[in-house]
């Protein structure tokens, strides 16, 4: 497939409610969207770099630069046959996984459409089992002003049908929060996400949570650390999950080799896309390590592709993939995603490619700048 044109958009959307983590508070969400044009088809990708370098060193500005000046010009010179090839073309750029993932996603979308398959079907081709039609999901709840407020926000989400709750923590807002939440909702699977706010010396804080039967603790230590996590894991009972420090299947291999985690959060954008995400999935499946699909407050464009990833056989834990209304009043992709209340699942799209359409009026309203690249 000849790639005829690529359009790049910087968009900004108001979140339904502010999202606060140990690295900052977001009221509006910036991201990049891009489209690949070829063979009369359009493939979409989302770059989840944010307005500030809190979660990742990448931002919308760095991703714009890397995509415009390096990645897109390279992709424009190539013929796209299968999506797995694309990431190989981009190895001359070190790092910048979020920028690369947007192109990788668009390549999966457009080639799925070409093949008359949904993204999920194409991604699931190597496996004997049919893809899951619905995937288990949970909700990620940001830091609230008080513990009391957190309890009421948890209740609201349980009432909506979410069957797994993730609470963001930071130093000083951790043990008491977790204990209060577990006392209020003893039957609910609750997990914590620290976004790298602690150090190994803080192990006693996590030991105080040993009796709480938490589902897992996500990324307590450094965002580049693997070793200290392997030490912490020996000191605590709660299963340990890595997010920030896994950028590739190699990192996942290092983590498993030294026993740094029990679980991996596979965020496709953090690992430069769906091709690499599937490799991590395969490695974890081989080692019986459960995985789940993480989120970055995606628009429907990114969310459709998260659902495709979570339909792979090894995704046995609920993902951070919530209903559209948890993020945006008017998403740029239609239709919206809804939670199936009975079993806390979301349906995996079945139409060709991503299975969502972009509403161009809404996209236009949300776009801060746009650039087209043509041959
Ligand atoms: O650490 O998982 C995280 C959002 C932005 C950046 C990092 C994280 C998150 C979330 C939200 O937890 C997950 C979602 O619902 O998209
Ligand atoms: Mg996380």
């Amino acid at each position: 497939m000849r790639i005829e044109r690529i359009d790049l958009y910087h968009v900004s959307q108001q979140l339904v409610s502010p999202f606060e983590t140990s690295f900052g508070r977001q009221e509006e969400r910036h991201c990049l969207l891009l489209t690949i044009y070829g063979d009369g088809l359009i493939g979409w990708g989302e770059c989840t770099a944010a307005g500030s370098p809190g979660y990742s060193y990448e931002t919308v500005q760095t991703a714009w630069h890397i995509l415009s000046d390096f990645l897109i010009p390279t992709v424009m010179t190539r013929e796209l046959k299968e999506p797995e090839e694309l990431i190989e073309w981009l190895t001359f750029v070190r790092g910048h996984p979020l920028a690369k993932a947007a192109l990788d996603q668009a390549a999966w979308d457009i080639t799925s459409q070409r093949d008359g398959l949904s993204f999920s079907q194409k991604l699931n081709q190597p496996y004997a089992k049919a893809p899951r039609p619905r995937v288990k999901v949970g909700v990620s709840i940001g830091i609230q002003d008080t513990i009391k407020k957190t309890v009421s926000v948890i209740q609201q989400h349980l009432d909506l049908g979410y069957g797994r709750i993730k609470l963001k923590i930071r130093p000083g807002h951790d043990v008491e929060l977790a204990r209060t939440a577990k006392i209020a909702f003893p039957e609910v699977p609750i997990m914590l996400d620290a976004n790298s706010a602690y150090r190994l010396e803080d192990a006693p804080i996590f030991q105080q949570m040993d009796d709480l039967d938490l589902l897992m603790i996500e990324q307590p230590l450094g965002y580049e650390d693997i070793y200290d996590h392997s030490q912490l894991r020996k000191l605590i009972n709660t299963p340990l999950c890595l997010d920030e420090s896994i950028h590739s299947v190699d990192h996942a291999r290092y983590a498993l080799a030294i026993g740094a985690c029990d679980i991996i959060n596979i965020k496709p954008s953090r690992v430069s896309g769906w091709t690499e995400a599937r490799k991590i999935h395969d490695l974890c499946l081989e080692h019986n390590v459960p995985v789940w699909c993480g989120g970055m407050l995606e628009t429907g464009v990114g969310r459709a592709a998260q659902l495709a990833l979570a339909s792979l056989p090894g995704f046995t834990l609920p993902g951070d993939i919530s209903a559209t209304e948890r993020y945006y009043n008017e998403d740029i992709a239609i239709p919206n995603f809804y939670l199936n209340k009975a079993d806390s699942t979301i349906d995996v799209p079945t139409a060709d490619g991503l299975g969502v359409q972009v509403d161009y009026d809404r996209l236009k309203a949300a776009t801060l700048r746009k650039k087209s690249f043509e041959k």
Side-chain angles (χ1 to χ4, degrees):
M1 180 188 297
R2 225 177 74 94
I3 296 169
E4 291 137 24
R5 180 174 134 201
I6 294 180
D7 288 348
L8 185 61
Y9 301 82
H10 174 178
V11 310
S12 166
Q13 290 164 283
Q14 203 65 35
L15 290 167
V16 164
S17 56
F19 188 66
E20 188 166 336
T21 62
S22 64
F23 59 80
R25 183 181 165 94
Q26 267 178 284
E27 307 210 1
E28 59 174 6
R29 176 185 182 257
H30 288 259
C31 71
L32 304 180
L33 293 170
L34 59 80
T35 50
I36 292 182
Y37 294 77
D39 285 359
L41 301 169
I42 304 180
W44 282 91
E46 178 162 341
C47 169
T48 65
S52 61
Y55 171 79
S56 159
Y57 64 83
E58 293 181 81
T59 67
V60 274
Q61 299 274 17
T62 70
W64 184 277
H65 163 52
I66 296 295
L67 279 160
S68 307
D69 296 334
F70 302 101
L71 304 178
I72 292 175
T74 299
V75 168
M76 297 290 294
T77 64
R78 300 293 193 127
E79 287 261 326
L80 182 64
K81 291 185 202 75
E82 290 301 331
E84 290 91 339
E85 296 160 6
L86 181 131
I87 201 67
E88 299 293 323
W89 310 337
L90 308 180
T91 51
F92 75 101
V93 171
R94 293 189 181 180
H96 299 278
L98 308 185
K100 290 173 180 172
L103 286 164
D104 176 279
Q105 186 194 327
W108 277 96
D109 180 20
I110 201 166
T111 54
S112 305
Q113 293 175 49
R114 174 201 66 196
D115 298 348
L117 298 172
S118 70
F119 196 138
S120 162
Q121 285 170 326
K122 189 160 174 67
L123 205 60
N124 269 280
Q125 273 177 334
Y127 311 95
K129 261 170 91 177
R132 278 194 189 87
R134 301 185 303 283
V135 305
K136 286 262 179 208
V137 302
V139 63
S140 172
I141 296 176
I143 295 169
Q144 312 292 317
D145 292 338
T146 61
I147 292 178
K148 200 168 161 226
K149 178 77 198 297
T150 311
V151 170
S152 86
V153 174
I154 296 172
Q155 185 64 62
Q156 283 163 25
H157 287 94
L158 294 174
D159 293 344
L160 289 170
Y162 288 101
R164 185 227 66 184
I165 301 289
K166 163 164 142 182
L167 300 176
K168 293 287 189 178
I169 58 167
R170 68 165 163 238
H173 183 74
D174 40 38
V175 183
E176 197 193 334
L177 171 77
R179 191 167 294 281
T180 308
K182 259 330 252 198
I183 290 169
F185 309 105
E187 303 303 323
V188 176
I190 296 179
M191 57 180 283
L192 309 177
D193 186 359
N195 288 110
S196 297
Y198 298 83
R199 303 191 47 81
L200 186 55
E201 299 89 274
D202 298 319
I205 295 174
F206 297 101
Q207 286 167 339
Q208 289 176 61
M209 304 192 214
D210 275 345
D211 63 329
L212 294 182
D213 193 29
L214 295 166
L215 190 60
M216 71 189 87
I217 295 176
E218 183 180 346
Q219 196 75 31
L221 309 182
Y223 58 86
E224 288 184 319
D225 172 76
I226 290 178
Y227 181 75
D228 279 357
H229 280 100
S230 77
Q231 300 303 105
L232 178 65
R233 182 162 169 257
K234 289 189 240 169
L235 302 173
I236 62 174
N237 291 337
T238 309
L240 209 153
C241 171
L242 289 177
D243 173 357
E244 276 91 333
S245 41
I246 304 296
H247 289 279
S248 64
V249 70
D250 284 334
H251 288 162
R253 189 165 52 79
Y254 309 151
L256 300 189
I258 66 165
C261 62
D262 301 281
I263 297 164
I264 293 181
N265 162 351
I266 305 182
K267 249 178 216 176
S269 54
R270 191 197 66 227
V271 303
S272 72
W274 279 254
T275 301
E276 192 75 10
R278 194 173 63 182
K279 287 185 189 165
I280 299 174
H281 160 270
D282 292 349
L283 177 79
C284 290
L285 197 57
E286 201 181 300
H287 287 80
N288 273 315
V289 169
V291 300
W292 54 279
C293 179
M296 296 283 284
L297 313 175
E298 281 86 346
T299 73
V301 168
R303 194 170 328 287
Q306 282 177 282
L307 289 163
L309 183 69
S311 75
L312 294 178
F315 283 79
T316 52
L317 290 166
D320 274 350
I321 313 171
S322 303
T324 305
E325 61 167 17
R326 181 252 173 274
Y327 306 97
Y328 305 106
N329 282 324
E330 286 205 320
D331 200 348
I332 51 118
I334 43 176
N336 282 351
F337 291 104
Y338 296 97
L339 184 72
N340 301 314
K341 236 185 132 160
D343 58 358
S344 189
T345 61
I346 295 183
D347 296 348
V348 179
T350 53
D352 288 1
L354 288 171
V356 292
Q357 303 297 318
V358 167
D359 179 321
Y360 280 89
D361 290 333
R362 289 183 187 173
L363 175 64
K364 200 170 173 201
T367 297
L368 302 178
R369 57 175 165 160
K370 179 186 173 194
K371 192 171 171 185
S372 287
F373 302 81
E374 269 168 282
K375 280 233 167 88

